[in-house]
Amino acid sequence: MGRSFVYVILGGGVAAGYAALEFANKGVAHGELCIISDEPVAPYERPALSKGFLLPEAPARLPAFHTCVGVNEERLTPKWYKEHGIELILDTRVTSADVRRKTLVTAAGETISYKFLIIATGARAFKLEEFGVSGSDAENVCHLRDLADATRLVDLMQASTGGNAVVIGGGYIGMEVAASLVINKINVTMVFPEPHCIPRLFTPKIASFYEEFYKSKGVNFVKGTVLSSFVINPEGKVIGVNLKDGSYLPADLVVVGIGIRRNTSLFEGQLTLEKGGIKVNSMLQTSNSSVYAVGDVASFPVKAFGEIRRLEHVDAARKSARHAVSAIMEPDTTPEFDYLPFFYSRAFLFSWQFYGENLGEAVYFGDFSGTSFGAYWVHNGHLVGSFLEGGSKEEYEALAKATRLRPAIDDMSDLERQGLRFVVTL
Ligand code: FAD
Ligand code: NAD
Ligand code: ISD
């Protein structure tokens, strides 16, 4: 015996929250929709966990950052779901799925059936064990993916004031958490294998701007190496780390941010996968017509690039989720998903936005010794990507609009001379 719904959202993260709002806007009937999540709380804005949640003063706490406050829309509290007749099945892990029979089975053994399924299972943090290093389950080693991780990190930071933290990984988590650790008066050393931070997006010149600022705040960068082992005391606490380059770093706290793996395992062998995610078409529909996939777990066609991409950013999760709901509820009038990739980050007083793709040659503009600067990427004679630190709302909007147009660039030095004026006047 089990429950049956017309629509089931599997996963209770960012995409689930935005999908729920879209279902409500489109008039889903009471009792037709449920969200199944192994987290104990209603969907929330995950980006808060590495920013406001970690502040020592007036930190962000639920219910303040439930979706969909990230785009200044309604805040979907548990009461909102109740009022809209949307069932939140929390603290519940789905352990198997059968897309042919349209059923999911939970860890408690309940079978939940659906007419339409939206997979929004996101991703999990990689563990060092997957790279052959053991010890990351020690009490003072943290990953950062969910509320439980962030709560643990706050406790550890409070116990480590004035002490030493080692941050493993120089990506988004590494840079945002390092800033939060500094703000919490903890000495930080960052360790990563690449020559500079945020290597998937930044050029050396952009990375250098942020690294120099972090250094001025006391952050120590150890690049070109990785951790080889944890040094653990008899009480089971990490007291330091050994690096592959032979050096040793003392540690009261270790934060590991070494990338993610998508939560696709329930559907492997049942749905087509591509680029590590569940492959969907431009309606966010998988290889099974009753099943849609959105957010981090989906590999979807980016029209402007003419290829399937997987993105790991909140804007893609929000927009793909809303689009999938529209495709399910209004299939005849929903256009193809035509998404311009958009990433952003905030750390210390910095705030940047990026649109498009970082392909081809970078052209820089603005004042790299001041507070506002940026870059365009030009590929095959067209502007395909743009980055801006410290922009105004209007400037970011102009950047997005221009990048979507992929304007032809005949003269790179003219583009450099015009800088931000190029997109503002386009
Ligand atoms: P998630 O939000 O991860 O949600 C997946 C949900 O599915 C989770 O609730 C999970 O517990 C649940 N789930 C998974 N498997 C099962 C199962 N078998 N049964 C039941 N439930 C299951 N992006 C930006 O663009 N800017 C940022 O500043 C930014 N900051 C971030 C900060 C942090 C700390 C993190 C971790 C990510 C950040 N991101 C940011 C990335 C962004 O949060 C993700 O892209 C987004 O959360 C993806 O949404 P999603 O719904 O696909 O997955
Ligand atoms: P990431 O992919 O951004 O960065 C991973 C980093 O770890 C890279 O520098 C990589 O080289 C390094 N690394 C890999 N293996 C390593 C090893 N064995 N030892 C040391 N370093 C190693 O991933 P992340 O920073 O862990 O972020 C996790 C997810 O959260 C990503 O999907 C990311 O997009 C998302 N996120 C996004 C934002 C944002 O967009 N502002 C903020 C936080 C998190
Ligand atoms: O999801 C992402 C991300 O964080 C990037 O930097 O996609 C991009 C690509 O890796 C680069 O365009």
Side-chain angles (χ1 to χ4, degrees):
M1 271 298 286
R3 285 175 277 184
S4 180
F5 295 86
V6 182
Y7 311 106
V8 170
I9 302 171
L10 171 54
V14 171
Y18 282 77
L21 182 62
E22 195 65 22
F23 270 118
N25 289 344
K26 298 225 178 293
V28 73
H30 282 224
E32 281 188 339
L33 169 66
C34 80
I35 294 177
I36 312 173
S37 176
D38 58 4
E39 292 197 71
V41 292
Y44 56 87
E45 301 285 0
R46 202 164 299 280
L49 299 182
S50 52
K51 304 176 187 70
F53 197 88
L54 302 182
L55 291 175
E57 305 288 338
R61 290 288 178 268
L62 288 175
F65 61 97
H66 280 300
T67 57
C68 302
V69 294
V71 295
N72 296 321
E73 291 210 40
E74 239 175 312
R75 185 164 54 100
L76 314 188
T77 58
K79 184 164 165 263
W80 181 92
Y81 289 95
K82 209 168 183 153
E83 283 167 2
H84 287 78
I86 297 171
E87 189 140 355
L88 276 181
I89 304 176
L90 301 178
D91 252 331
T92 300
R93 183 156 190 81
V94 167
T95 50
S96 70
D98 185 333
V99 300
R100 218 170 29 85
R101 293 182 182 200
K102 301 189 179 188
T103 54
L104 305 171
V105 178
T106 70
E110 185 186 7
T111 298
I112 295 177
S113 44
Y114 60 82
K115 195 163 165 229
F116 291 99
L117 173 66
I118 298 183
I119 304 170
T121 45
R124 65 166 179 81
F126 266 130
K127 295 193 79 180
L128 281 164
E129 277 68 8
E130 290 163 87
F131 299 91
V133 176
S134 58
S136 73
D137 51 358
E139 64 175 78
N140 55 339
V141 177
C142 263
H143 296 80
L144 184 54
R145 184 72 202 178
D146 60 21
L147 189 63
D149 294 336
T151 305
R152 224 174 121 239
L153 177 54
V154 167
D155 291 345
L156 285 167
M157 285 197 305
Q158 284 167 355
S160 309
T161 309
N164 298 311
V166 175
V167 174
I168 309 289
Y172 295 95
I173 291 283
M175 290 301 277
E176 292 181 7
V177 171
S180 299
L181 289 163
V182 168
I183 293 165
N184 280 275
K185 300 192 171 18
I186 296 167
N187 306 307
V188 180
T189 299
M190 295 188 68
V191 179
F192 50 87
E194 294 90 355
H196 64 74
C197 68
I198 317 229
R200 288 197 284 145
L201 180 64
F202 287 179
T203 64
K205 186 175 167 80
I206 295 173
S208 162
F209 172 86
Y210 294 105
E211 287 180 13
E212 287 308 313
F213 182 84
Y214 276 54
K215 282 185 206 165
S216 76
K217 292 283 175 187
V219 175
N220 174 30
F221 286 89
V222 180
K223 304 178 191 177
T225 190
V226 292
L227 183 142
S228 61
S229 61
F230 288 107
V231 181
I232 299 178
N233 73 10
E235 287 76 52
K237 263 187 89 171
V238 168
I239 53 166
V241 300
N242 289 314
L243 303 184
K244 278 235 166 86
D245 68 4
S247 52
Y248 170 82
L249 299 168
D252 301 295
L253 161 61
V254 178
V255 182
V256 181
I258 55 170
I260 57 165
R261 180 183 289 279
R262 275 155 193 78
N263 292 321
T264 56
S265 60
L266 291 172
F267 300 96
E268 282 163 23
Q270 300 192 68
L271 300 176
T272 305
L273 302 190
E274 194 168 314
K275 295 189 170 166
I278 297 173
K279 185 180 179 186
V280 294
N281 63 20
S282 52
M283 291 299 187
L284 287 316
Q285 194 173 36
T286 70
S287 52
N288 179 301
S289 61
S290 306
V291 181
Y292 291 69
V294 297
D296 279 7
V297 79
S299 293
F300 64 90
V302 178
K303 268 177 104 176
F305 304 167
E307 62 176 51
I308 297 272
R309 289 283 172 96
R310 57 175 181 80
L311 299 174
E312 304 174 2
H313 294 271
V314 74
D315 182 66
R318 291 168 177 153
K319 291 190 174 137
S320 61
R322 296 185 100 145
H323 206 92
V325 174
S326 180
I328 293 169
M329 304 268 288
E330 295 168 350
D332 298 333
T333 52
T334 301
E336 293 190 328
F337 189 47
D338 184 6
Y339 181 69
L340 176 72
F342 163 51
F343 320 148
Y344 72 89
S345 179
R346 291 192 307 273
F348 292 116
L349 292 176
F350 295 118
S351 176
W352 57 255
Q353 298 195 5
F354 169 84
Y355 295 91
E357 60 182 340
N358 55 339
L359 202 61
E361 195 180 331
V363 175
Y364 300 99
F365 59 83
D367 181 3
F368 273 76
S369 59
T371 53
S372 183
F373 61 87
Y376 299 122
W377 280 262
V378 177
H379 180 61
N380 287 341
H382 289 264
L383 188 152
V384 297
S386 54
F387 174 94
L388 178 61
E389 164 63 47
S392 66
K393 184 169 170 285
E394 293 71 28
E395 287 167 343
Y396 286 129
E397 277 167 9
L399 211 63
K401 197 170 145 214
T403 310
R404 181 173 277 284
L405 294 173
R406 293 169 84 88
I409 303 296
D410 306 319
D411 183 345
M412 299 285 271
S413 36
D414 183 53
L415 179 66
E416 190 175 1
R417 246 189 325 275
Q418 288 203 53
L420 202 49
R421 242 183 326 117
F422 178 79
V423 296
V424 173
T425 54
L426 201 67

